[in-house]
Amino acid sequence: MTEHIAPPAPAVPVPGLEDRRPPKLAKVPAFIEYMGQGWGTPDRTPPVVAGAATAAGHHRSRLSEQFPGQTLVIGAGTAPVRANDTYYDFRPDSDFYWLSGAAIEGAVLVMAPSGTSHDATLFIPAPFYPGDPQFFANAAHGEMWVGSAPDFSDWAQALSLQVQPLTELDAGITAAMRAGSGTLAAGIIDSDVRSRHGIDAGGDLGRALAVLRMIKDDWEIAQLREAVDHTVSGFAAVVGEIPAAVKAGGERWLQGTFDRHARTHGNGVGYATIVGSGKHAPTLHWVRCDGTVLEDKVLLLDMGVEANSFYTADVTRTFPGSGTFSPIQRQVHDLVEKSHRAGLAAVGPGRPWTDFHHASMEVIANGLNDWGLLPVSVDEALSPAGQHHRRYLVCGVGHHLGLDVHDCAQSSHDDYQGATMAPGMVLAVEPGLYFHEHDLTLPPELRGIGVRLEDNVLITPTGSEVISDALPITAAGIEEWVATVQRG
């Protein structure tokens, strides 16, 4: 029998309380007048990373060459709702940042055809200063709420761009369209704006930007080096805390250690930090980080600092919880290391993108066969109709890296996996073996071991450079590095 629960009774107004309701301050003339007085001017210098504006100008020129005569509209986006009236931190759309060098919530960049190139105008929400009731009433753009807010001229000077109020966006798009043959959009553009102007958001602009962003310029490579350097020091901070995490705190303690480091030395983490101990290590995206850290198990750490320019590192190492690998843990780690070295050796200019994937997978398949884990021959496993070895490595072994941890993802297969590697590309190479605790095809001693090695690699004109090589990759080297870090 289901219990009947009566609906709550309607609230009954209490006589006299209406007069005690606090007034809306934005409607109190005396308060508005008082709040408009007695304010100095705070430092409104735009937060632009050194070199970002110049790099963005070069990026716009590269994009302009791809779309002569067409109007291009790229939105920065807004922060998503976390719960009710609270929001996640704002992070600009990567294409928007690549073209503007700015992180301005709600902003839209319009590139209007002009002869054989384009003129760019940035449309941004107006800040509210003392004298305007929105100064204290608008939680999104009132300077009393959000802190010092640069105005249009501040941003224009910092970015070397024309900057206008967002309220002028419709007029700006209309004027740009008169000079061109069509309008393409990327990033996050309001659906009403797209509808009013017949903007094509079908993906052509996004795909073109993805291909352009594959080749990093010197400024971008410097940003990635910075992100990697801070990530390496973040690994040291986390490894130093492993004994404390074993005693209390567990995976959350290590996750918090790295996330604090990333926030201190950059914008934050480039993706959700992965801390997996024991049976969690084989879980590819173990971002819950809510387990214990076990001394006799391996600990997989996949972590990346996102620099203030939003370029991110993506590095993985696997550590012994005790500081020393057991024989079976070392056996797995050694095979992954061998696969990793084969993958790194296959990275270079002019080589098919898939070379390092196949090189890594061949080592894995042969190793698993030597251990008696393949139900078929190595050749059959490696064939397109087989792939049996990938039961223990279902993901790929690499991807582009840049403003996004999985950079340039909107590009086509022909431009990505079907293309060749070129100087200026930055890749993550990351083979691994993931032996799940409940996988009954495995002998008991292998169950619950997960190992991944991931490095960030710059393709140069003559070969490649591992820019994350400050971290060791051999089992012995990792043990020695852990001991050094934990000794302090």
Side-chain angles (χ1 to χ4, degrees), residues 25 74 105 119 169 201-202 205 233 309 318 354 373 376 388 440 444:
L25 293 177
I74 304 93
E105 187 168 8
D119 291 332
L169 176 62
L205 180 54
S233 61
S309 60
T318 306
T354 52
L373 294 179
V376 297
H388 297 75
L440 303 182

Side-chain angles (χ1 to χ4, degrees), residues 75-95:
T78 57
V81 173
R82 182 181 185 276
N84 190 29
D85 61 348
T86 60
Y87 294 79
Y88 288 102
D89 289 341
F90 170 68
R91 197 274 195 191
D93 175 81
S94 295
D95 288 334

Side-chain angles (χ1 to χ4, degrees), residues 200-255:
D200 178 9
D204 288 347
L205 180 54
R207 283 190 291 272
L209 282 162
V211 174
L212 288 172
R213 283 172 46 198
M214 287 180 180
I215 307 299
K216 274 64 180 179
D217 56 35
D218 290 344
W219 181 82
E220 293 178 283
I221 292 169
Q223 298 306 305
L224 285 164
R225 289 186 188 277
E226 177 183 324
V228 168
D229 289 346
H230 288 313
T231 298
V232 169
S233 61
F235 266 84
V238 171
V239 166
E241 293 293 319
I242 290 177
V246 169
K247 293 177 181 177
E251 294 169 350
R252 292 176 193 251
W253 185 264
L254 301 182
Q255 175 197 30

Side-chain angles (χ1 to χ4, degrees), residues 277-413:
S277 174
K279 67 179 181 181
H280 297 154
T283 302
L284 292 172
H285 287 169
W286 182 254
V287 297
R288 283 160 54 183
C289 304
D290 60 0
T292 56
V293 174
L294 303 169
E295 196 169 26
D296 62 339
K297 304 295 183 181
V298 296
L299 173 68
L300 189 150
L301 302 176
D302 186 337
M303 309 185 297
V305 170
E306 180 180 79
N308 288 320
S309 60
F310 305 106
Y311 287 81
T312 184
D314 181 14
V315 179
T316 306
R317 291 294 187 272
T318 306
F319 300 92
S322 66
T324 303
F325 289 106
S326 71
I328 192 67
Q329 291 168 356
R330 180 183 282 260
Q331 177 183 326
V332 177
H333 194 282
D334 286 350
L335 178 55
V336 173
E337 180 202 337
K338 186 178 179 181
S339 172
H340 189 52
R341 290 186 182 278
L344 292 176
V347 172
R351 301 188 64 155
W353 170 269
T354 52
D355 270 10
F356 69 90
H357 171 90
H358 291 306
S360 292
M361 287 296 184
E362 184 174 351
V363 172
I364 292 293
N366 277 285
L368 294 173
N369 184 64
D370 292 342
W371 296 351
L373 294 179
L374 289 185
V376 297
S377 69
V378 171
D379 288 343
E380 187 174 348
L382 289 171
S383 72
Q387 302 293 296
H388 297 75
H389 59 293
R390 297 195 63 182
R391 178 185 182 99
Y392 313 110
L393 177 51
V394 297
C395 59
V397 296
H399 53 83
H400 280 280
L401 185 67
L403 279 168
D404 297 325
V405 65
H406 296 144
D407 210 31
C408 311
Q410 290 192 57
S411 56
S412 68
H413 176 272

